[in-house]
Amino acid sequence: MQWLYCDFHIHTTWSDGKCSPDRVVELYGESGFDVIAITDHVLDSESIKKACKQTSGLSAVSRSEFSNYQQALWAAARRAWEKYGMLVVPGVEITNNTARYHILSLDIKEYISPDLDVEAIIEKTREQQGISVACHPYVRNHSGEDPSVYLWKNHERLATMFDAWEVANRDDLFNVVGLKKFNYIANSDFHEERHLLSWKTLLRCEKNIEAVKEAIRNNDRVSLFLYRGGKIK
Ligand code: ZN
Ligand code: ZN
């Protein structure tokens, strides 16, 4: 069985990313990646209200756009598979900037509100046979903010509820998370092309969605990889 080169945290122009889903597929496909997840933001209602008052507007997928977003990702997934043999997992980053938690929900089919509490988001993700990941769960990240501080403050309680914790995000390695020996993965939190060079996950499993989800849950054949460019294969 092969090691798969994976990245499960990627933003596109559907939220605050600079690249379209097609450009993301081309970048990762040309580099030789096996599995990517596109995970644009869905945002809590307090933060939506605040964003609407500002001129910058909303850079998140709204509830009413969710099915169009899903369809766009399925179209990108078909192209990725045909052209590169690369698997694209549709997902979202459930983003609550009021209570401060960011959660990746991978392979979900229905909208999940970021207004729900963490346990309910994990539960709803599981009901849809999806994977839940605690994002950048430590007080510092590349932007110097603490957008997911709630998850770290409550990590003892939430430890085994998540399918995995993001032990590395872009340039940051959260050794305090690693030392806890939680299930982990590592991701780019990709927003623009230069973020391709970042922490990634290697999984040893078959290249299909069910095998990938099982490998994240079991978390035994998983490895971290700091990608610094070039064609992987
Ligand atoms: Zn985030
Ligand atoms: Zn993100």
Side-chain angles (χ1 to χ4, degrees), residues 13-196:
T13 45
W14 278 90
S15 63
D16 57 355
K18 293 206 170 116
C19 301
S20 67
D22 278 351
R23 180 64 187 138
V24 163
V25 163
E26 185 178 83
L27 266 177
Y28 281 83
E30 292 292 337
S31 302
F33 279 83
D34 297 292
V35 186
I36 62 169
I38 294 179
T39 55
D40 278 300
H41 295 283
V42 294
L43 198 57
D44 68 282
S45 17
E46 261 323 292
S47 300
I48 291 174
K49 272 187 222 157
K50 272 189 214 157
C52 290
K53 282 182 196 155
Q54 292 162 358
T55 45
S56 54
L58 187 63
S59 42
V61 179
S62 66
R63 184 189 282 263
S64 61
E65 283 174 329
F66 186 74
S67 73
N68 288 342
Y69 168 67
Q70 289 276 85
Q71 281 174 29
L73 297 195
W74 282 118
R78 272 195 301 278
R79 284 192 293 275
W81 188 253
E82 282 162 14
K83 190 160 182 199
Y84 301 108
M86 181 173 74
L87 203 63
V88 175
V89 180
V92 284
E93 181 172 7
I94 298 179
T95 305
N96 190 317
N97 286 338
T98 307
R100 290 183 177 250
Y101 43 83
H102 290 197
I103 298 167
L104 296 178
S105 282
L106 307 178
D107 196 35
I108 56 162
K109 291 89 194 165
E110 313 261 333
Y111 182 85
I112 298 175
S113 170
D115 294 337
L116 295 170
D117 64 31
V118 173
E119 285 89 340
I121 290 170
I122 294 172
E123 183 57 34
K124 295 240 172 247
T125 301
R126 190 158 295 146
E127 279 169 15
Q128 298 184 36
Q129 282 83 49
I131 291 283
S132 58
V133 181
C135 289
H136 40 70
Y138 189 47
V139 288
R140 284 168 293 166
N141 74 354
H142 42 263
S143 51
E145 296 166 348
D146 55 351
S148 228
V149 68
Y150 178 91
L151 300 183
W152 184 248
K153 281 189 176 158
N154 293 277
H155 68 269
E156 299 288 357
R157 178 168 59 83
L158 299 169
T160 56
M161 297 173 84
F162 282 108
D163 293 304
W165 291 67
E166 207 173 52
V167 72
N169 175 290
R170 198 173 304 159
D171 302 314
D172 300 324
L173 184 63
F174 306 129
N175 61 330
V176 288
V177 178
L179 289 168
K180 294 280 180 184
K181 297 188 167 51
F182 299 163
N183 278 5
Y184 64 67
I185 56 174
N187 295 316
S188 66
D189 204 351
F190 179 101
H191 284 76
E192 52 188 287
E193 297 199 9
R194 66 190 171 94
H195 296 160
L196 188 62

